Structure formats: structure tokens, C-alpha cells
Amino acid sequence: MILRKQLPNLKTSYGTSCHSMRLLHSSCIRPLKKQQPRRNFHKPNLGNPKRSPPAKAPIVSDSNIVQWNNAITNYMRSGQCDSALCIFEKMTRRTSVSWNAMISGYLLNHRFDLAHQMFVKMPERDLVSWNVMITGCVRNGNLGAAKRLFDQMPHKDAVSWNAMLSGYAQNGYVEEARMVFDKMPNKNSISWNGILAAYVQNGRIDEAQKLFESNPSWDVISWNCLMGGYVRKKRLVDARCLFDKMPKRDEVSWNTMISGYAQNGQLSEAQKLFDESPIRDVYTWTAMVSGYVQNEKLDEARRVFDEMPVKNSVSWNAIIAGYLQSKKLDIAKELFDAMPCKNVSSWNTMITGFAQNGFIDLGMELFKNMPRRDCISWGAIIAGHAHLGHNEEALRLFIEMKRDGERANRSIFSCILSTCAEITALELGKQFHAQLVKVGLGSGWYVGNALLAMYCKCGNIEEAHVTFEEIRDKDIVSWNTMIGGYARHGFGKEALKVFESMKRKGVKPDEVTMVGVLSACSHSGLVDIGTQYFHTMETDYSITPNPKHYTCMIDLLGRAGRLDAARNLINNMPLEPDAATWGALLGASRIHNNTELGEKAAKKVFQMEPDNAGMYVLLSNLYAASGRWGDVGTMRLKMRDTGVKKVPGYSWVEVQNKIHTFSVGDLTHSDTPDIYAFLDDLDSKLKKEGYVSLPKLVLHDVEEEEKEHMLKYHSEKLAVAFGVLKIPSGRPIRVFKNLRVCADCHNVIKYVSKIVGRLIIVRDSHRFHHFRDGVCSCGDYW
């Protein structure tokens, strides 16, 4: 660097001394003269009252400013923002180039806040300043700020318009991008390619085709862009037609078509084009390697890889990924170790492969040894832990990533929101939602769907609905998640409203949609409507019922007491009923105390899933409710002899980002005295409201008084009591249980919601219950 060569002893940190900076200025202005004795400029020279008038400030030439501007740019490129700022602050004269160098440098180093501060302080902005700042806002995902700046610009050029167009396109706002394009006074090739890419990248290929046909003068980049869009949509006939019509082809044209055939399994066509290609670069060869890998022809992929005259990191990564997908981890590791051109993607490929195959420790070892990490690296290791159920470690790594200064992308946010949903950490999920909004990633469907699922699973159906409404360009997953969310919360009519709205929007239901619709009818007792949907789904939506649809119908009919209809339906199924379908019939038999039918259903379940502990417990409950204690004992012995263990029931509640877990009769919690005192005090209030305990629900052959005592301290009651004591008034109390809530607890919580005047939401293994003013959203139908 220029300045370092001139002044090797100059400090480059932000704390550079004033004296050093004076030397720096002098060296840039004139040759160093013989040093005079140093004077203290901060105190008057009392010994010499006849002081000479102060010297005028030295004239700074344009060449000096250029030199300093170059130094600022060089420091910024090497990440030394403080050193760049030090030079900038000591400059006696600055031009707009100086300010722009600082702004663009901060943006280069992901310091958007400092770049914006510098932009605000500029005494006079030129067109470059505005364009640099708008581009920075776009890259930072802050389209709102970019639009405000764009509207404030006194003058705009093609760069300004194209920056806004590109920003909208890259973030999925195609209509907004088109509005910008239509308003542009002067469109250039970048503008046309930008709007074409907006349609292609967002999957709107028919609109891209219409635009393409409206302009006869496209360059080869445009042809390749549309052809690539056809390939991504698997419209290979259209892609080949465009390829054959191209007035001029380059390497990208050939490679796009070859990889399109290869990725879609048409390897003979890919090989034919490969043989015809006039120029085979490393990407042409790599397209063939990747094609064979993706079609699980690893031997052919290795043959092409070995024949390649030149290999790059993409080639190596492709063959390594093939071995990882085939679970040949040793060979993948050997290739990785031998790879002469490792890049961050190589490390990421290995980490992802190890994580997906369950070797998270090996993946973590590689992650720790990486010379450089990016957000993909963090995403791979976070997703690996989340996939294996290591949720707390996934969250810890996310926090560590933020401390490390790495920005989370949509994929990481989606993964971490799914982790929050898995552990029902609503407060933490809300914090991540706030971060999403802050970085401008919260409105797209990709992250929006994860956010929507998090709110549904964590019991905040109101916020889920708000999130659903805010998702732009909803896909089928968005609709299905909202329908399923309402269904599980017991709001069947709301679920059906969303379903009808979905159809009005022209979105075709799929198999998952109909499972949600039938489940909504089942949880809300909408028997006739659910039956109608079931019998018309094939004619109306071309969806053939699968076992999940039949299970929903058995559950729907069984809960409503139509056991004969449920039994007839299961006997007349065109496909073999699975364990879940028979389990639904067993559950209905338990609700209506039909022991004979329950035994038949249980027998079928045990034939298919002999280790299904839940079905053993359900049949035991059926026997106990009928007073057949001998059969209850027999079931327990059978479970012991077959090694089947009953899953212990527990409930948990989140308070101030901490999960508090309770089991039946739990005495381990630090607030146990207060919890038990609350429940004891509640007894008289409950009886005054008309509560009567249901000791028959205790599935043990013990005295009535002991049964009442056992009921009193069920885990969900302990969790609700703790929530009432610790969660501020006015906020909902959300309790989660791993098993189904018992009828007595359900009854008690209804009364508690009325006595304390709180909304209490309980999620068990089947659904959500919203208790308010002594009433449950399920209408006592569950």
C-alpha cells in the first residue's frame, strides 16, 4: 500500500496519534524539511510575547486527495474500517469521492448502519452517493429504505432505476419490479435482462416468455436466462426449442442444455449434446459428472471425473457429494483430503454430508477446523443438529453465529424457527421474528411458512393468522399450514373458510390440504360437511383418498358415536388399513366405551405394531373405564413381557425464555410449595363453581379418596398453576403435554380460566384447547 511504503512506522489503528497524522499530511503535501524543535501548540508561548502570526493552512492538491481516497479504498478492501476512518477524519479537504469511498467501504464490510450515518452527514451528495446507498439498502434487504431514498433523489439515471428493479426482483416482488421497469424513462439491456430475470427467477416462466417475444433484440445472456428458466421448470422441450433457435450460442448455452438433460435423467440426450459441443470447458464436464451423480450412476460419474482434463472445485465437490449421498463416507473423505483446490463450499459439502448421515460429531470437527466459514457453513451445522433433535445445540450455534458477525439467511432462519416450533419456545420464536423483520426477510413465503408453522405449533393461532395474511405470493404449503393450524386448534369453521378462500384464489388442493380439512371437521364435530368433502375429493380435486384420509374419516365418525359407520368404512376400504386407521377406531371405542369393538381394533394394531405403547395404554384405559381390573393387569403383564414401556406423562410451560417441566405429583420444582398451596386454595373455589371430580378416570384399583388425591396433582394442573402464579396478568398461559389431557384436568382448567380470569391454552398430543371464561374451544368434544 502507498502510505505504508512512505511511512512504515505509521500506526494504522483508529488510535493513530495526531503527530503521526501531521507527518502524514506533510508527507503528502511537500518534502519533509529539516525538523525544527517541537512546540506545544496547546499553550501560548509566554516566553516570547512577540509571536509570529499563525501560518496559513497548507493548500491540499487534488493529487493528495486522490492519494488519500485510494488509501481509504485499500483499507476498506482489507477490512480495516477504523484505519480508513482515521485518514478520512484527518483530511483537511474532502471531495464527494472521499465520502463515497467511506460509504461503499462500510457497505463492503457489512456495516450498513455506519454507511447510512456517513450518507446522512454528507454535506453534498452526487448521483454516485445516492446510487451506492440505494444499492447498499437493496443488498441489506431493506427495500423500504431503498424506496424512500429512490423517491428522494433529485436526479435518477439508469443505474438508480436498475438498482430498484434488481432489489424487487431478487426479493420476489415481481409486480413492483415491473412497475419500476414500466416507469423507466430510458431502458437499457440491463433493464430488459433485469425484468426478464425477475420473471424467470420467481418461476413466472409464461410471463417471461411473453416479455421475451415482445422484444426482438435480445442478447445471448437473455436467451440463456429464459432457457435456464425452462430447464428449472423441467420444460425441456421448450428449452431445446429455444436452444435450436438461438442465433448465437456460447458455452453457457451448451452447458445449460446439457445440465438440463442430465439433471432430469435424460442422460443419453445429455451425452449426445456433450459429444456435439464445439467447446467443452470445465463446466461442461462438470455438468455430466453432476448429472450422473444426481441419477445415482456413481460409477459413470467417476469415469467422467477421471477423464476430465481440468478439474475445478465444483467438479471435486460434485463427485464428493455423490459419494456422500451413497453413504460412502470414507471415499468422500479421501477425495476431500486429496482435493488441491478446497474452498468453503467443499467444507460445507462434507459437513452437510456427515450431518445428514448422522455423523454430526465428524461434521462438527470439520466445522471447527474450517479456515473460513460462511452462512452456508453455519446453516449446515445448525440444520444437522436440528435434524437429529439436538435443538438446544442448534439454538446455541445460532447465537454463536450472530456473535461471530455472520448474517443469517432465509434457510437458517427457517431452520431455527422450526427448532423453536419443535420445542414450543414461543418467546424465543418471537425474538427471531423481530430479527427477521429488522433485516427485511419476514414477508416471503419461504421464511413466512416456517414462521407460520412456529406460531401454529406454539399455540398462538392469532399471530399465525396475522403472519399468514402478510405472506406475499402464498404457496400450497402456506395454505395447508394455516388450514392444519386452525384444525389442530379446534377452529374447524375458520379452517374451512381458509379452504374456500384458497379455492377462490385458484390454488388447487392437494392430499395434505384434504387431510387438514377432514381433521378440522373431525375436531369440530362437523360430520356431514366432512363426509361430503371426503366423498367428493376425487371428483372435485382428482385426489384419491389415502390411508390418512380414511383415518380422519374413522376419527370423524367415531368421535360422533357413529361406530357402525366407522366400522363399515374400514371394512370397505379399497386399500389395506394401517395401524393409525385401526388406532382411530380404538380411540373412538374408548370414548364410547365399546369394549368389544375396541378389542378387535387393538388386535389389528398389535399385529402391525407390537411395540406401540400408546395402543396398549388406550386398551387398558378402556378396560379400566369398564371396571375390568383383571384385564388391566393382564395388559400390564403383556407390556412387561414384550418389553413395551408406557411413555411417562409430563407437561411444560415457558416463562421468561425458560421451560419449566412437571410430572404427576412433582415435588422437584423450586416453587413447589407455592404451586401446591395454590391448588389447595383452589379446591373450595372449584367446588363453589360446581366442579365434581371424576375419580373413575384414575386407572388404578385404589380407594376413591386416593384417586381424588392422584387426580389433583396431574402434571397439566401443576403447569397451569405455575403459569397463573408466574405469567403476568393479561397474557395467555400456554401449557404443553406430551400425552392426551385427561377429562378431569380438562374440566378443572375450564373452571380455573373462569376463576382467575385468564386465557389458558393447553396443547396435548392431539390438539389445542383454548380455555376462557369457563368454556373450551373444543366444546368438550375431543
Side-chain angles (χ1 to χ4, degrees):
M1 294 174 60
I2 298 171
L3 292 177
R4 279 192 180 169
K5 290 179 180 179
Q6 290 180 338
L7 298 170
N9 297 322
L10 179 63
K11 297 181 182 178
T12 57
S13 68
Y14 185 66
T16 305
S17 67
C18 294
H19 176 64
S20 296
M21 291 311 304
R22 280 197 296 272
L23 289 179
L24 170 63
H25 285 205
S26 301
S27 67
C28 295
I29 297 168
R30 59 184 182 276
L32 287 175
K33 297 180 180 179
K34 184 178 179 181
Q35 278 192 326
Q36 301 296 323
R38 293 174 57 184
R39 293 169 53 193
N40 190 337
F41 291 99
H42 300 287
K43 294 181 181 181
N45 188 349
L46 300 178
N48 185 12
K50 297 182 180 180
R51 293 173 56 199
S52 302
K56 294 182 179 181
I59 299 174
V60 180
S61 67
D62 290 343
S63 62
N64 299 142
I65 296 175
V66 169
Q67 196 172 22
W68 288 330
N69 290 344
N70 288 337
I72 289 172
T73 300
N74 289 333
Y75 276 133
M76 285 296 192
R77 286 174 178 171
S78 61
Q80 300 181 60
C81 299
D82 289 345
S83 298
L85 178 62
C86 184
I87 292 178
F88 179 81
E89 288 187 334
K90 299 301 179 181
M91 290 176 69
T92 54
R93 185 163 71 90
R94 306 181 186 113
T95 64
S96 61
V97 176
S98 315
W99 291 88
N100 293 340
M102 289 298 299
I103 294 170
S104 58
Y106 278 136
L107 292 172
L108 178 68
N109 288 280
H110 308 293
R111 302 296 301 273
F112 177 82
D113 52 341
L114 296 179
H116 185 260
Q117 290 174 19
M118 190 67 66
F119 179 79
V120 171
K121 292 178 182 178
M122 280 189 77
E124 186 176 347
R125 305 179 187 113
D126 60 12
L127 189 58
V128 175
S129 316
W130 289 94
N131 287 339
V132 166
M133 200 63 224
I134 288 174
T135 303
C137 290
V138 166
R139 290 176 180 171
N140 196 58
N142 196 338
L143 294 180
K147 180 65 167 59
R148 287 191 293 273
L149 288 173
F150 182 78
D151 292 339
Q152 294 169 12
M153 287 184 73
H155 303 287
K156 304 178 181 72
D157 64 358
V159 175
S160 320
W161 289 93
N162 289 336
M164 286 305 303
L165 191 157
S166 175
Y168 283 130
Q170 291 170 10
N171 288 276
Y173 301 130
V174 182
E175 281 76 17
E176 288 81 353
R178 183 60 196 246
M179 287 176 60
V180 171
F181 177 79
D182 290 338
K183 290 179 180 179
M184 291 180 68
N186 297 304
K187 303 176 180 68
N188 56 21
S189 61
I190 297 175
S191 315
W192 283 94
N193 286 336
I195 192 62
L196 180 68
Y199 285 126
V200 170
Q201 290 168 5
N202 289 280
R204 297 164 68 161
I205 196 69
D206 292 332
E207 292 166 273
Q209 180 180 345
K210 188 180 296 185
L211 177 74
F212 190 84
E213 292 170 352
S214 70
N215 182 6
S217 57
W218 294 98
D219 56 25
V220 68
I221 296 175
S222 313
W223 287 82
N224 291 339
C225 176
L226 183 59
M227 183 168 60
Y230 283 135
V231 167
R232 282 194 291 275
K233 286 288 186 179
K234 301 184 184 302
R235 291 169 56 172
L236 297 183
V237 173
D238 291 326
R240 183 57 189 264
C241 182
L242 200 66
F243 177 81
D244 292 337
K245 289 180 180 178
M246 290 183 70
K248 180 182 178 182
R249 303 180 187 128
D250 60 9
E251 292 90 338
V252 175
S253 315
W254 288 91
N255 294 343
T256 299
M257 204 64 236
I258 290 170
S259 63
Y261 279 132
Q263 290 169 7
N264 288 279
Q266 299 186 31
L267 294 173
S268 59
E269 290 294 328
Q271 187 67 55
K272 183 178 178 182
L273 269 186
F274 177 82
D275 295 337
E276 294 175 1
S277 181
I279 302 175
R280 296 179 196 159
D281 59 13
V282 66
Y283 300 104
T284 320
W285 286 89
T286 302
M288 291 303 300
V289 173
S290 299
Y292 282 122
V293 164
Q294 291 171 17
N295 289 277
E296 299 180 355
K297 295 189 175 184
L298 194 53
D299 291 340
E300 285 297 304
R302 184 59 185 266
R303 176 187 62 78
V304 175
F305 178 80
D306 290 339
E307 290 177 0
M308 289 182 69
V310 178
K311 303 177 181 70
N312 63 7
S313 59
V314 180
S315 322
W316 284 90
N317 292 343
I319 194 67
I320 288 172
Y323 283 110
L324 290 170
Q325 291 166 14
S326 301
K327 301 187 183 301
K328 297 180 179 180
L329 306 185
D330 292 341
I331 300 177
K333 186 64 166 62
E334 288 176 7
L335 284 168
F336 177 77
D337 291 338
M339 186 176 175
C341 49
K342 294 185 187 71
N343 59 14
V344 68
S345 295
S346 315
W347 291 85
N348 293 344
T349 300
M350 288 298 298
I351 291 169
T352 302
F354 279 138
Q356 290 177 346
N357 285 285
F359 296 94
I360 193 65
D361 292 339
L362 294 176
M364 195 67 190
E365 184 180 343
L366 279 175
F367 179 78
K368 290 178 179 177
N369 292 329
M370 288 185 74
R372 185 175 67 86
R373 301 168 184 157
D374 61 7
C375 65
I376 307 299
S377 319
W378 286 99
I381 200 66
I382 289 171
H385 280 93
H387 177 71
L388 295 172
H390 303 166
N391 297 310
E392 291 185 4
E393 181 64 13
L395 292 171
R396 187 195 66 78
L397 284 166
F398 179 81
I399 293 170
E400 184 181 334
M401 179 195 75
K402 300 288 286 183
R403 289 173 180 166
D404 201 47
E406 187 64 59
R407 291 183 60 193
N409 58 16
R410 287 181 171 85
S411 178
I412 295 176
F413 268 119
S414 178
C415 176
I416 213 67
L417 286 168
S418 298
T419 301
C420 290
E422 194 68 27
I423 63 175
T424 62
L426 177 61
E427 295 305 317
L428 198 57
K430 285 182 177 179
Q431 293 175 23
F432 293 140
H433 186 182
Q435 293 181 29
L436 272 171
V437 173
K438 185 176 180 180
V439 299
L441 296 176
S443 58
W445 59 263
Y446 186 81
V447 174
N449 289 344
L451 191 60
L452 173 60
M454 186 275 293
Y455 279 123
C456 286
K457 292 180 179 179
C458 290
N460 195 334
I461 195 66
E462 293 82 7
E463 194 62 39
H465 177 74
V466 172
T467 299
F468 175 75
E469 292 297 327
E470 291 177 348
I471 296 176
R472 304 171 68 97
D473 298 326
K474 300 176 183 65
D475 65 355
I476 187 69
V477 176
S478 313
W479 292 98
N480 289 348
T481 304
M482 194 69 250
I483 292 170
Y486 272 133
R488 198 170 183 193
H489 280 262
F491 301 122
K493 293 181 180 178
E494 286 79 358
L496 297 185
K497 286 180 182 177
V498 174
F499 177 58
E500 294 300 326
S501 176
M502 170 185 176
K503 292 190 293 182
R504 287 194 298 271
K505 294 288 187 180
V507 181
K508 186 179 179 181
D510 62 8
E511 293 179 351
V512 178
T513 313
M514 296 314 299
V515 169
V517 168
L518 295 175
S519 177
C521 294
S522 175
H523 284 308
S524 301
L526 304 173
V527 181
D528 294 335
I529 297 175
T531 302
Q532 181 182 353
Y533 278 130
F534 177 76
H535 288 301
T536 59
M537 58 189 281
E538 191 161 10
T539 55
D540 289 354
Y541 315 117
S542 303
I543 299 172
T544 303
N546 63 30
K548 290 183 178 180
H549 300 118
Y550 279 98
T551 298
C552 289
M553 279 304 298
I554 300 298
D555 189 58
L556 172 66
L557 295 169
R559 288 178 187 275
R562 302 184 186 182
L563 295 180
D564 290 338
R567 179 167 44 190
N568 291 335
L569 181 61
I570 203 171
N571 288 335
N572 294 316
M573 284 175 61
L575 40 85
E576 192 67 26
D578 59 14
T581 308
W582 287 110
L585 188 61
L586 174 56
S589 302
R590 165 67 183 89
I591 293 172
H592 299 286
N593 290 324
N594 190 323
T595 308
E596 180 183 355
L597 184 59
E599 287 179 323
K600 291 179 180 178
K603 183 178 179 181
K604 292 287 188 179
V605 173
F606 295 149
Q607 288 174 356
M608 300 177 187
E609 297 181 356
D611 297 330
N612 192 324
M615 295 299 105
Y616 281 97
V617 173
L618 200 53
L619 184 57
S620 294
N621 294 352
L622 180 55
Y623 285 141
S626 304
R628 294 170 55 175
W629 297 108
D631 290 323
V632 172
T634 301
M635 291 303 298
R636 287 179 182 160
L637 288 173
K638 187 175 180 181
M639 289 179 68
R640 185 191 67 184
D641 294 341
T642 55
V644 177
K645 294 183 179 180
K646 178 182 180 296
V647 177
Y650 58 92
S651 302
W652 64 97
V653 60
E654 182 184 4
V655 178
Q656 294 181 343
N657 281 345
K658 184 178 180 181
I659 304 296
H660 298 262
T661 306
F662 302 89
S663 58
V664 61
D666 201 330
L667 296 172
T668 61
H669 197 278
S670 59
D671 289 284
T672 292
D674 293 336
I675 294 170
Y676 276 67
F678 175 85
L679 292 175
D680 291 339
D681 181 60
L682 194 63
D683 274 346
S684 60
K685 296 178 182 178
L686 287 171
K687 291 174 182 176
K688 187 177 179 180
E689 291 290 337
Y691 162 73
V692 178
S693 66
L694 301 173
K696 68 176 184 178
L697 297 174
V698 177
L699 305 178
H700 299 279
D701 191 11
V702 295
E703 297 297 327
E704 293 294 306
E705 185 177 346
E706 187 176 349
K707 287 184 177 182
E708 289 189 6
H709 181 78
M710 295 172 70
L711 279 174
K712 185 176 179 180
Y713 302 117
H714 273 189
S715 65
E716 52 265 58
K717 291 172 183 169
L718 298 176
V720 167
F722 180 73
V724 172
L725 292 170
K726 296 296 182 181
I727 296 176
S729 178
R731 295 181 59 188
I733 298 166
R734 291 182 173 86
V735 171
F736 302 86
K737 185 176 181 181
N738 66 325
L739 302 178
R740 194 172 180 181
V741 65
C742 82
D744 185 74
C745 288
H746 187 274
N747 198 24
V748 167
I749 298 170
K750 282 198 302 182
Y751 285 112
V752 172
S753 70
K754 182 178 181 181
I755 292 169
V756 301
R758 304 287 296 271
L759 170 62
I760 303 173
I761 302 171
V762 178
R763 191 204 76 181
D764 64 10
S765 58
H766 283 68
R767 60 172 298 160
F768 283 88
H769 300 264
H770 294 243
F771 301 91
R772 190 196 297 269
D773 298 326
V775 178
C776 181
S777 59
C778 72
D780 297 337
Y781 185 87
W782 90 100

